[in-house]
Amino acid sequence: KTINKCTVCTAYLVSCGLEDPNPTMMISTRAALPRAVALGCSTASPLGVKATATTTTRTKSSSPKNLVRNEGVHQNMKLSKSWRNKPLFRRQGDVRFKSGLEASKLLIAEANRRDSHEAEYIDSITSTMEALAPMFDRNPRYAFVAKQLMEPERFVQFRVAWMDDVGVVRLNRGFRIQYSSSLGPYEGPLHLGSHVNAGLVKALGFDNVFSNSLTGYDVGSSVGGSDFNPQNKSEAEVQRFCQSYMTELAKYVGPDIDLPTMGMGVAEKEMGYLFGQYKRINNKCTNGGISFMTKTGGDIPGRAVVLFAKAMLKDKNQSLMGKRCLIIGSGKIARAVADTLLDYGAVPLTFSDESGHVYEPNGIDKGKLKTITTIKQERGTMIGRYIMSSTTATFNEPGSIFDIPCDLCFPCGGIKSIDEDAVNTLADNGCTGIIEGGHKNVTNEARQVAKSRGVMYCPHIVSLTGTNISHANGHSLDKQTLEAEVNRIYADVKEAATEFNARGDLVAGGTIVGFLRVANAMLSHGAV
């Protein structure tokens, strides 16, 4: 396949070493969003490249699938005026907008009108639409695409009945939201916990649209889970629940349809139970020779989080060496973050869970991390048990984990675990960066405080792309390839933020890059 290029695109490709003397260029089937699309190149080709059915390693990750049709972000006055004259809503009379900010406010108001009871979803819509307002200014047509994207393609809720160890039938609610398949088959995590509800699943599904698409791979977005808490259940009860949950979920997922991945409360054991039941009731359980719902790459999401932190520090001519790091949480990603930090010479200080936090003033080394991993791999155990094996650790001292002086904070725990007060406390104690290792750890208000205090912030839609990178590259993913992919994504996000006058704002950059790719695909698909 070939793509015609404008002068700007050609100059960029030559600078990246991707251009040759020929007037055409070979491109990869699955790769990242280019700078041409991120900057709204108006001469980009309408041609797209069809993705292959199998998952293979991408060797050239700077040449993406381009779905820009007739115009890019930069719009001429005539076309811009024609779209502004069209009503965004026609519910009680025609409702039009004059600016991008007005369009974003109208979209937020519409979300509140329909789903005001879903607080997490409203938070996600608010944050996203505010970030996209400058794009609506440049091309009003994208506001109409955003309106369409606010509604998921499919949302399934079902009953999950299972029997506990004493013979009592228990009931939970199961969810799977298949939010967008504009770029390819659905893909997204499963979350288990008493906090999981329809509103949270919808919010995470919406966020996952941008997280998956900004990587440049041909995958859609989905999220699922249940209000089942695996931490206070026996191993047999967890297995019976997973089998019951998958019996119903199997109707909606499968190779080339929807790929569930690990999420909150879902580790390798739970994925194994789920895949075992899926394999029992379905004949096809592989895709191109790669197992459906594979368990490989469990530490890659955590490693990617640290690599994003490394890239952010590199922009400031700093490194991770010697940085004292606060880790909130003690799950699989939190432990992978700690392990990777040690590889780069940083000093992990804490772990936490519902019971409180443990603090090692001199840092957690590989031996202590192994002890913590052994403790947390036993279902239902609390982090406080660690102090029995350490003479230097303290438990819940000081009273708040945010009172501990640190250089970087990696929240990998519960949703909205960092608010405005926590950010202020972290900044007062010398923290210079917050890198999310979990979903929606930082509230919208706390993000604004971090920005005003000069604290670097990397949102989960950017930092948690490691899972997507892992599945896209399969078993061939090594540390060098992972770091190259992280640096590519970070460069795209940073470039988009700069282009839209939001230098250093990774929330805006990640949202814009992800939205552009999905929106251009949706425009080519019509009213679907």
Side-chain angles (χ1 to χ4, degrees), residues 311 315 489-499 502-504 506 509-510 513:
D315 279 348
I489 293 169
Y490 178 71
D492 284 341
V493 171
K494 186 175 67 171
E495 189 72 24
T498 302
E499 169 66 18
R503 184 184 297 273
L506 300 188
V513 172

Side-chain angles (χ1 to χ4, degrees), residues 429-463:
N429 289 325
C431 182
T432 60
I434 300 174
I435 301 90
E436 282 190 313
H439 296 272
K440 301 178 76 69
N441 296 131
V442 182
T443 65
N444 289 350
E445 296 77 15
R447 292 177 181 178
Q448 298 302 320
V449 174
K451 189 174 182 179
S452 65
R453 296 292 302 267
V455 177
M456 297 183 300
Y457 171 63
C458 184
H460 67 277
I461 65 169
V462 177
S463 60

Side-chain angles (χ1 to χ4, degrees), residues 64-361:
K65 183 178 180 181
N66 192 341
L67 292 171
V68 176
R69 285 287 171 176
N70 299 317
E71 66 276 337
V73 174
H74 298 288
Q75 189 73 280
N76 64 50
M77 186 61 68
K78 182 178 178 181
L79 286 174
S80 177
K81 186 176 180 180
S82 68
W83 279 101
R84 291 184 198 278
N85 286 334
K86 293 183 179 181
L88 185 60
F89 297 105
R90 308 194 70 180
R91 192 170 53 256
Q92 294 177 347
D94 292 351
V95 179
R96 296 178 173 84
F97 60 92
K98 295 181 180 180
S99 66
L101 181 60
E102 187 177 350
S104 67
K105 289 181 178 179
L106 287 173
L107 292 167
I108 294 169
E110 177 66 8
N112 274 289
R113 184 188 70 83
R114 294 186 306 179
D115 303 304
S116 59
H117 59 287
E118 297 175 340
E120 295 89 354
Y121 175 66
I122 297 301
D123 284 346
S124 292
I125 290 290
T126 301
S127 173
T128 300
M129 296 308 162
E130 288 176 350
L132 294 177
M135 186 182 301
F136 300 155
D137 265 327
R138 297 193 187 186
N139 190 338
R141 187 179 188 184
Y142 282 125
F144 294 83
V145 181
K147 179 183 71 171
Q148 190 175 340
L149 188 61
M150 284 167 53
E151 193 66 27
E153 294 178 7
R154 185 179 296 108
F155 194 173
V156 182
Q157 178 177 317
F158 49 90
R159 178 179 65 194
V160 183
W162 55 280
M163 188 172 292
D164 64 18
D165 290 339
V166 297
V168 176
V169 175
R170 307 279 290 273
L171 295 176
N172 288 97
R173 285 181 177 175
F175 307 97
R176 188 66 176 176
I177 186 168
Q178 295 173 331
Y179 211 103
S180 173
S181 60
S182 298
L183 296 177
Y186 303 106
E187 181 176 321
L190 294 172
H191 304 298
L192 298 180
S194 55
H195 63 287
V196 176
N197 55 44
L200 177 61
V201 170
K202 190 173 181 181
L204 294 176
F206 181 74
D207 289 345
N208 202 42
V209 173
F210 306 97
S211 184
N212 281 3
S213 64
L214 72 86
T215 62
Y217 301 129
D218 297 320
V219 292
S221 167
S222 60
V223 169
S226 174
D227 57 353
F228 171 86
N229 183 8
Q231 296 304 316
N232 57 8
K233 306 294 190 302
S234 69
E235 203 65 38
E237 289 175 331
V238 172
Q239 180 174 342
R240 287 194 289 270
F241 167 83
C242 289
Q243 290 173 342
S244 179
Y245 177 80
M246 180 51 74
T247 300
E248 179 65 22
L249 186 66
K251 300 174 184 177
Y252 311 101
V253 302
D256 296 325
I257 300 174
D258 188 354
L259 173 63
T261 61
M262 291 187 289
M264 294 180 288
V266 180
E268 292 191 351
K269 281 187 177 180
E270 289 78 10
M271 288 298 288
Y273 296 147
L274 291 165
F275 177 66
Q277 183 68 4
Y278 180 87
K279 186 164 61 72
R280 175 189 289 178
I281 58 182
N282 286 277
N283 291 327
K284 183 181 179 182
C285 56
T286 61
N287 181 19
I290 298 176
S291 297
F292 175 61
M293 293 176 63
T294 178
K295 297 188 296 181
T296 60
D299 65 332
I300 290 177
R303 176 168 286 275
V305 171
V306 177
L307 290 175
F308 277 108
K310 180 184 176 185
M312 294 169 70
L313 288 172
K314 186 177 179 181
D315 279 348
K316 295 184 176 294
N317 296 319
Q318 299 180 28
S319 70
L320 286 167
M321 180 64 67
K323 290 288 190 293
R324 293 171 63 83
C325 302
L326 214 64
I327 299 177
I328 302 171
S330 54
K332 56 188 181 298
I333 291 183
R335 299 194 300 270
V337 165
D339 188 46
T340 309
L341 286 172
L342 289 170
D343 291 342
Y344 286 102
V347 184
L349 299 173
T350 62
F351 281 106
S352 67
D353 60 16
E354 305 84 46
S355 66
H357 64 271
V358 293
Y359 170 42
E360 282 279 7

